């Protein structure tokens, strides 16, 4: 069973505690972190990011970052978080948190199929680093390669 650890402002923390209580998911203390933890951390400064990098390196835990500043997002991607939530929209961004936790608990990877020109590309979502929107296309960057498809981000999220 995954351990949930939250280090956020009181507003975000209160919301997540209520959300997790509704889904019967308990929160652990920071000192209980290990490789089976999901660490939800608000990142406001590069010091916060450095701290998170140390935690990720030490425990290789799952991470979700909540950010306000866009300039830090690309640096956050270096630690391969499960998600980067926008501070001003954290309620909307956290709507699928219970599903994320359930998938981690099942240790089940999700496989998606994409059509690119005449090719069918099968991707394990755990290998997706990030998805870039470019005009009417998406560029999906994985650990092994990148490819371009003609879809919207909302279509991929539904898939």
């Amino acid at each position: 069973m995954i351990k949930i650890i939250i280090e956020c402002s009181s507003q975000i923390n209160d919301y997540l505690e209520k959300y997790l209580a509704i889904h019967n998911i308990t929160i652990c203390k920071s000192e209980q972190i290990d490789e089976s933890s999901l660490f939800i951390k608000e990142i406001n400064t590069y010091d916060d990011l450095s701290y998170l990098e140390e935690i990720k390196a030490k425990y290789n835990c799952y991470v979700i970052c909540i950010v306000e500043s866009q300039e830090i997002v690309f640096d956050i991607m270096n630690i391969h978080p499960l998600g980067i939530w926008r501070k001003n929209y954290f309620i909307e961004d956290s709507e699928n948190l219970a599903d994320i936790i359930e998938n981690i608990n099942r240790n089940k990877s999700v496989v998606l199929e994409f059509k690119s020109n005449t090719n069918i590309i099968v991707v394990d979502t755990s290998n997706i680093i990030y998805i870039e929107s470019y005009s009417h296309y998406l560029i999906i960057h994985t650990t092994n390669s990148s490819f371009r498809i003609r879809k919207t981000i909302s279509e991929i999220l539904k898939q």
Side-chain angles (χ1 to χ4, degrees):
M1 193 69 149
I2 191 154
K3 299 176 188 173
I4 310 298
I5 297 159
I6 302 171
E7 284 189 10
C8 299
S9 64
S10 59
Q11 177 190 12
I12 295 171
N13 191 65
D14 292 346
Y15 173 80
L16 290 175
E17 282 181 2
K18 289 175 187 169
Y19 176 94
L20 293 169
I22 289 169
H23 291 87
N24 295 318
I25 300 168
T26 56
I27 299 172
C28 297
K29 298 181 189 298
S30 294
E31 57 269 7
Q32 295 175 307
I33 194 167
D34 60 23
E35 70 280 343
S36 65
S37 300
L38 171 58
F39 191 47
I40 302 173
K41 172 79 173 142
E42 185 174 348
I43 306 293
N44 296 311
T45 66
Y46 281 98
D47 288 340
D48 292 336
L49 180 57
S50 295
Y51 168 72
L52 189 59
E53 287 172 335
E54 290 173 18
I55 295 291
K56 178 85 172 171
K58 185 174 181 180
Y59 299 106
N60 194 28
C61 59
Y62 298 100
V63 174
I64 293 176
C65 302
I66 302 173
V67 298
E68 186 170 30
S69 171
Q70 293 178 354
E71 67 185 50
I72 203 165
V73 169
F74 288 105
D75 294 317
I76 289 172
M77 293 173 92
N78 291 328
I79 61 170
H80 306 289
L82 283 179
I84 300 174
W85 296 346
R86 303 160 296 172
K87 187 173 181 178
N88 293 337
Y89 300 96
F90 76 90
I91 293 173
E92 294 89 341
D93 291 346
S94 66
E95 286 177 352
N96 66 343
L97 180 56
D99 294 333
I100 291 170
I101 293 167
E102 185 179 327
N103 284 335
I104 293 170
N105 282 333
R106 283 191 208 154
N107 201 15
K108 177 184 171 188
S109 62
V110 177
V111 176
L112 298 176
E113 289 185 5
F114 300 108
K115 185 173 183 180
S116 177
N117 297 326
T118 59
N119 299 324
I120 300 289
I121 300 166
V122 179
V123 176
D124 184 332
T125 56
S126 65
N127 292 329
I128 296 175
I129 299 170
Y130 66 99
I131 299 174
E132 176 181 6
S133 178
Y134 184 76
S135 189
H136 296 288
Y137 293 91
L138 295 177
I139 302 170
I140 300 176
H141 300 273
T142 67
T143 53
N144 298 322
S145 64
S146 297
F147 56 92
R148 187 176 77 161
I149 61 171
R150 188 171 175 95
K151 274 195 184 226
T152 64
I153 288 186
S154 60
E155 289 173 322
I156 290 216
L157 289 173
K158 286 177 188 173
Q159 188 178 355

